[in-house]
C-alpha cells in the first residue's frame, strides 16, 4: 500500500468558526491569580497550586515575556499581538490558538502542542521548537530566523513567505507543507521529510539537505545554489530541471546539475 505524500488535515470539517467555544474575557486580577497558582504548581512539582487554564481566553496584546509557562493550557486562546519573548512554554497546549503577529523570539516551545495554531506574521527568531507538534499550523510570513525545530512534526503546515534562514530543521516532518517563496538559506534540513512539499520559488541557497526525502516535492523556480543534496531520497532530474538556481550543488549519485 502506497502512503500518500499529501496528508489530510485532522481539522478538516472543523473550520466552521461557529463551532469554536465563545471567548472568555478575563479581568487583569484573574489573569494574575491564574499565573500565581501556575507558578506554585511548577515550583512544587504539581503538589500545590494549579495548572493555569487559559483555553479559549482572549489574551490579545498581553505581556507574558520571560514567564515560566511550562505545561500551560492555552488551546484556542486568542494571543494576537501578545508578547511571549523569552517565555518558557515547554509542553504547553496551544492547539488551535491564534498567535497572529505574536512575539515569541528566544522562547522555548520544545514539545509544545501547536497543531492548527495560527502564527501568521508571528516572530520566532531563535525560538526553540524541538519535537513540537505543529501539524497544519499557519505560519505565513512568520519570522523563524535561527529557530530550532529539529524533530518537529510540521506536516501540512503553511509557511508561504516565511523566513527560516539558518534554521535548525534536522529530521523535521514537512510532508505536504507549503513553503512557497520561503527563505531557507543555509538551513539545516538533514534527514528532513519533504515529500509532497511545495517549495515553489523558495530560496535554499547553501542549505544542507543531506539525506532529505524529496519525493514529489515541487521545486519549480526554487534557488538551490550551493545546496548539499548528497544522499537525498526521491529526488528526480525532472524536479531539478524545474528549479531556478542550481549552481554549485552537491547532488546524489546519478543526478547531474
Amino acid at each position: 500500500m502506497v502512503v500518500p505524500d499529501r496528508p489530510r488535515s485532522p481539522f478538516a470539517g472543523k473550520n466552521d468558526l461557529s463551532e469554536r467555544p465563545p471567548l472568555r474575557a478575563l479581568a487583569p486580577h484573574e489573569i494574575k491569580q491564574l499565573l500565581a497558582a501556575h507558578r506554585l504548581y511548577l515550583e512544587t512539582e504539581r503538589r500545590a497550586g494549579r495548572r493555569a487554564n487559559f483555553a479559549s481566553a482572549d489574551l490579545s496584546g498581553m505581556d507574558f515575556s520571560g514567564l515560566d509557562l511550562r505545561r500551560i493550557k492555552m488551546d484556542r486562546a486568542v494571543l494576537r499581538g501578545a508578547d511571549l519573548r523569552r517565555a518558557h512554554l515547554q509542553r504547553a497546549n496551544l492547539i488551535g490558538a491564534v498567535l497572529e503577529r505574536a512575539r515569541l523570539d528566544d522562547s522555548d516551545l520544545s514539545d509544545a502542542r501547536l497543531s492548527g495554531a495560527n502564527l501568521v506574521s508571528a516572530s520566532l527568531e531563535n525560538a526553540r521548537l524541538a519535537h513540537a507538534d505543529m501539524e497544519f499550523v499557519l505560519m505565513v510570513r512568520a519570522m523563524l530566523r535561527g529557530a530550532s525545530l529539529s524533530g518537529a512534526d510540521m506536516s501540512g503546515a503553511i509557511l508561504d513567505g516565511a523566513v527560516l534562514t539558518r534554521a535548525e530543521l534536522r529530521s523535521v516532518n514537512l510532508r505536504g507543507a507549503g513553503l512557497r517563496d520561503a527563505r531557507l538559506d543555509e538551513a539545516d534540513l538533514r534527514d528532513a521529510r519533504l515529500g509532497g512539499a511545495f517549495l515553489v520559488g523558495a530560496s535554499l541557497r547553501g542549505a544542507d539537505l543531506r539525506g532529505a526525502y524529496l519525493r514529489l516535492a515541487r521545486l519549480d523556480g526554487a534557488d538551490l545554489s550551493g545546496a548539499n543534496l548528497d544522499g537525498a531520497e526521491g529526488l528526480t532530474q525532472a524536479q531539478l530541471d524545474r528549479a531556478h538556481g542550481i549552481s554549485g550543488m552537491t547532488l546524489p549519485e546519478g543526478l547531474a546539475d
Side-chain angles (χ1 to χ4, degrees):
M1 179 178 177
V2 178
V3 178
D5 280 302
R6 185 74 56 79
R8 184 178 185 276
S9 170
F11 302 99
K14 299 182 181 180
N15 292 326
D16 184 356
L17 294 179
S18 65
E19 296 183 9
R20 293 178 67 98
L23 285 179
R24 294 188 292 146
L26 298 173
H29 74 274
E30 293 178 282
I31 295 173
K32 186 176 181 179
Q33 288 172 354
L34 285 168
L35 291 174
H38 188 77
R39 184 168 60 249
L40 183 60
Y41 166 84
L42 294 174
E43 290 174 348
T44 63
E45 297 182 349
R46 294 179 275 181
R47 289 190 296 272
R50 179 176 297 178
R51 181 185 183 189
N53 185 353
F54 287 106
S56 299
D58 188 352
L59 303 166
S60 298
M62 290 294 300
D63 186 355
F64 294 104
S65 58
L67 296 185
D68 191 344
L69 304 173
R70 287 172 293 154
R71 296 181 178 272
I72 202 160
K73 285 179 61 64
M74 288 181 163
D75 47 300
R76 292 181 176 265
V78 174
L79 290 140
R80 192 175 282 112
D83 188 349
L84 291 144
R85 290 174 294 176
R86 302 179 306 282
H88 297 274
L89 288 152
Q90 299 96 313
R91 297 185 180 274
N93 182 352
L94 288 154
I95 293 173
V98 177
L99 289 141
E100 290 179 88
R101 301 185 304 281
R103 291 172 289 171
L104 293 123
D105 305 313
D106 299 300
S107 61
D108 193 339
L109 290 135
S110 303
D111 297 299
R113 301 169 67 194
L114 289 145
S115 299
N118 181 343
L119 287 128
V120 172
S121 299
S123 183
L124 297 105
E125 290 201 61
N126 301 310
R128 292 171 292 285
L129 295 125
H131 303 288
D133 291 329
M134 302 173 71
E135 303 97 326
F136 303 96
V137 68
L138 295 175
M139 302 189 86
V140 177
R141 297 184 301 279
M143 178 62 70
L144 291 143
R145 186 184 289 116
S148 175
L149 297 115
S150 57
D153 186 351
M154 302 179 77
S155 52
I158 304 299
L159 292 130
D160 297 344
V163 177
L164 295 118
T165 306
R166 294 186 297 279
E168 167 62 60
L169 294 154
R170 189 166 187 176
S171 300
V172 71
N173 182 1
L174 283 160
R175 185 168 61 96
L179 289 147
R180 300 167 184 83
D181 300 313
R183 298 196 63 86
L184 293 132
D185 302 321
E186 299 179 41
D188 186 349
L189 286 150
R190 285 176 288 173
D191 301 313
R193 306 291 293 178
L194 287 155
F198 286 82
L199 289 148
V200 176
S203 181
L204 293 124
R205 297 176 64 88
D208 191 344
L209 289 141
R210 285 177 289 172
Y213 182 75
L214 290 157
R215 181 176 179 270
L216 300 181
R218 293 289 299 273
L219 297 167
D220 307 45
D223 190 346
L224 294 158
S225 302
N228 190 342
L229 290 143
D230 187 34
E233 298 179 46
L235 183 65
T236 67
Q237 190 64 50
Q239 287 170 291
L240 290 175
D241 289 343
R242 289 191 288 268
H244 173 65
I246 56 175
S247 62
M249 290 189 303
T250 303
L251 292 172
E253 187 176 349
L255 293 179
D257 56 15

